[in-house]
Every structure is written in C-alpha cells, then in structure tokens.
Amino acid sequence: GQRAYYFILACIRLQGGDIDEAIKELTSLLALDPLAAEALYLRAALRVKKSDPDGALADATRLTTLLVDHPYAYLVRAVAHEIKGKKDLAAKDLEKAASLDPELAEPLKLWIEKLK
C-alpha cells in the first residue's frame, strides 16, 4: 500500500543521493503510520548523516519504545547522543545494544571505552 510506496520512494531518493528528499518521503510514511519502525530507523540514521542530532535522537528514542529489544535502535541513538556530546548516554546505549546482541559486544567494546 501507501506505506511501501513511500519507503520505496525514500530508497530511490537515497540511491540518487538526495538525503533531504528521502527524509521527506519517510516523514510522509510516518504521518500515515507513526509506528513504522523501519522508517523511524532509516530517518534517524539519515538525520545523523545530515548532522541533525536532535531529529535523530527523537526518532531513535521513539524506536527504542517500539522495539525495546532491538540493538540497532540503541546503536542509532548512541550515535545521536555522541554527536550531541552526551558521551555517558551514548556509552549506556551501546552497552544496552551489546547486551541485546552478544555478537555486538566485542566490536562495540572499544567504542564504549573511548566514550568513558
């Protein structure tokens, strides 16, 4: 339906290198379905890339309430926290991501240590 249309359109815009238009398409999708986790995740990641840590943080925080056990929700929020200079909160989110996915524990260890 329309959800898929906006998501595919966002991906096409992204492939064309237009992050702003991709964000607009994802915003349209989220207006239709505020619980579209894939759109929240992608928009959070794109907002990080666009140096919009407040927008990324808002999306990532909403994502952590939807997908409480999904490590990538915490990963994207950690990046937003780090951009905002909130190293303690970034480290906390990285530790949460590592606890949810043991395969992430080792790769995230150095990043967590760097933040502390």
Side-chain angles (χ1 to χ4, degrees), residues 47-91:
R47 284 176 159 178
V48 160
K49 197 166 173 60
K50 289 292 293 181
S51 296
D52 173 12
D54 292 325
L57 199 55
D59 285 346
T61 298
R62 228 164 99 203
L63 192 59
T64 60
T65 61
L66 288 175
L67 302 175
V68 181
D69 296 331
H70 202 295
Y72 292 98
Y74 297 94
L75 272 178
V76 75
R77 190 168 74 175
V79 175
H81 278 311
E82 188 176 18
I83 290 170
K84 288 182 64 77
K86 304 209 181 290
K87 292 182 175 188
D88 53 333
L89 293 174

Side-chain angles (χ1 to χ4, degrees), residues 3 7 23 26-27 29-31 33-48 55-67 72-73 76-77:
R3 275 185 70 202
F7 195 78
I23 289 172
L26 294 168
T27 301
L29 192 163
L30 288 161
D33 181 3
L35 303 179
E38 70 283 2
L40 274 174
Y41 176 79
L42 186 53
R43 191 172 74 173
L46 293 177
R47 284 176 159 178
V48 160
L57 199 55
D59 285 346
T61 298
R62 228 164 99 203
L63 192 59
T64 60
T65 61
L66 288 175
L67 302 175
Y72 292 98
V76 75
R77 190 168 74 175

